[in-house]
Amino acid sequence: MSAERVHRTTHEVTIDAPAGVVYGLLADATAWPLYFTPNVHVERLEFDGTRERLRMWATANGQVKSWVSRRTLDPVERRIDFRQEVPASPLESMGGSWTVEPRGASACRLVLLHDYTVAGDAAEDVAWVERATETNSRTELANIKKLAEDWERLDELVMSFEDSVHVDGPAEHVYAFLHHVRDWPELVPHVSRLDVTEPEPGVQVMSMDTLTADGSAHTTESVRICFPHARRIVYKQTATPLLMSAHTGEWSLVEDAGGVTVTAQHSVVLRAENIARVLGAEAGVAECRRYVREALGRNSTATLNLAKAHAESHAAPRAA
């Protein structure tokens, strides 16, 4: 630890779900963007079964922050210790632990501890970190409580799927089309409005209005993380339509001898309590899954086909 004052916080919640279920959700950090509202994206850099190294992006007080964390997983004690390697400003250090304490066979207590120091101990910086830690910790505990208490329905509430097209054209033109979202209202018919800011290179914060097949409009807000060298763009919707409590996705490009395969991947947590309101009293989870799959797939496939047309129109003619 540095010479700055060490701040410590404790947050806890009682969850009506088995301790093993809660620990399992916490251990799978790459799925956190689906589970935790503040988390945007997690990349696993290293993992040996017990220790892992993660690159994480999350929102804090409305800003997108990124850092690398090391975690040690102990499934026997149901404890996960974490420490950030190089914390995001204004932090000097940040670490802590998650501990799941069984309370019988079907309940547990989840305890989240933080210890951190703030560079220079400036009062306004300390207050900023305190507010971010308090808000995100309470939100994460509430998220995990709701998800875990629905654990018997998780398989039907969580869904992932993808659509792909093959493009006979250069990958750089496909990636440019997907990356330059500012142009989408002129290029993508189902996008009627899109505002985007880039607080730092590779990070896009956007608000978008899209039209559904019945002509109704949906407003979504997203954070996108762009990896141009890997030809990937991942995103997290931070404001979702009524039928989804979480939605993450990825645009990815894989080159081959004949061009490039472009894939749109989606992962969703359904919001069961809104199904009847949106789809009618007779609808259930199965109808919701089908509706969401068709709606998201229709829009992303339309975008893929537009990217294909854009790239193929810019492709150099083949030699005869």
Side-chain angles (χ1 to χ4, degrees), residues 15-304:
I15 301 176
D16 291 326
V21 169
V22 175
Y23 178 83
L25 294 172
L26 295 169
D28 186 9
T30 58
W32 279 16
L34 271 181
Y35 302 160
F36 294 156
T37 301
N39 284 83
V40 173
H41 182 61
V42 178
E43 293 262 323
R44 176 179 278 162
L45 306 178
E46 301 171 18
F47 185 52
D48 66 5
T50 300
R51 294 176 296 275
E52 64 183 348
R53 190 165 172 262
L54 306 167
R55 177 78 186 273
M56 311 183 81
W57 288 261
T59 58
N61 296 335
Q63 300 179 25
V64 180
K65 296 287 188 177
S66 179
W67 63 89
V68 174
S69 279
R70 291 188 178 274
R71 302 204 315 168
T72 302
L73 285 70
D74 185 343
V76 176
E77 296 296 327
R78 297 189 182 90
R79 178 186 173 100
I80 300 172
D81 294 309
F82 59 88
R83 181 68 52 186
Q84 294 183 10
E85 287 186 353
V86 181
S89 175
L91 284 165
E92 182 76 15
S93 68
M94 169 67 84
S97 64
W98 298 89
T99 305
V100 186
E101 302 171 354
R103 293 291 186 267
S106 58
C108 60
R109 183 173 74 126
L110 174 59
V111 180
L112 171 58
L113 303 179
H114 284 100
D115 62 75
Y116 60 87
T117 60
V118 178
D121 276 330
E124 61 272 22
D125 289 340
V126 171
W128 190 96
V129 175
E130 286 177 345
R131 185 167 70 255
T133 303
E134 178 71 15
T135 300
N136 284 9
S137 296
R138 289 186 178 276
T139 300
E140 289 168 353
L141 291 179
N143 290 162
I144 207 74
K145 174 179 173 69
K146 185 176 189 304
L147 200 63
E149 290 182 347
D150 258 344
W151 71 274
E152 292 179 309
R153 304 182 65 195
L154 279 184
D155 285 346
E156 61 177 354
L157 294 178
V158 178
M159 57 187 293
S160 295
F161 56 90
E162 62 183 38
D163 298 290
S164 299
V165 301
H166 189 268
V167 179
D168 184 16
E172 57 267 25
H173 290 312
V174 180
Y175 186 85
F177 182 93
L178 297 172
H179 180 263
H180 297 152
V181 289
R182 196 181 305 275
D183 300 331
W184 281 12
E186 288 74 42
L187 300 174
V188 181
H190 64 263
V191 176
S192 58
R193 179 195 63 85
L194 193 148
D195 298 319
V196 61
T197 61
E198 297 195 24
E200 62 180 86
V203 176
Q204 298 176 330
V205 180
M206 54 187 274
S207 174
M208 179 172 67
D209 291 342
T210 58
L211 301 176
T212 61
D214 62 7
S216 60
H218 291 285
T219 298
T220 59
E221 296 176 2
S222 304
V223 177
R224 305 204 320 168
I225 312 297
C226 305
F227 302 93
H229 297 296
R231 302 275 169 75
R232 298 170 59 220
I233 299 172
V234 299
Y235 62 87
K236 161 79 173 276
Q237 283 194 352
T238 53
T240 55
L242 288 172
L243 288 176
M244 297 182 287
S245 60
H247 176 203
T248 64
E250 177 175 345
W251 305 95
S252 60
L253 285 67
V254 177
E255 293 184 87
D256 55 44
V260 58
T261 297
V262 192
T263 300
Q265 186 272 337
H266 300 271
S267 294
V268 170
V269 180
L270 301 177
R271 198 189 301 267
E273 63 269 24
N274 287 337
I275 294 176
R277 174 182 172 186
V278 177
L279 300 180
E282 302 303 316
V285 173
E287 289 77 15
C288 184
R289 289 175 66 92
R290 184 163 53 250
Y291 179 90
V292 169
R293 171 66 177 96
E294 291 174 355
L296 292 180
R298 183 186 309 113
N299 283 353
S300 59
T301 299
T303 304
L304 289 172

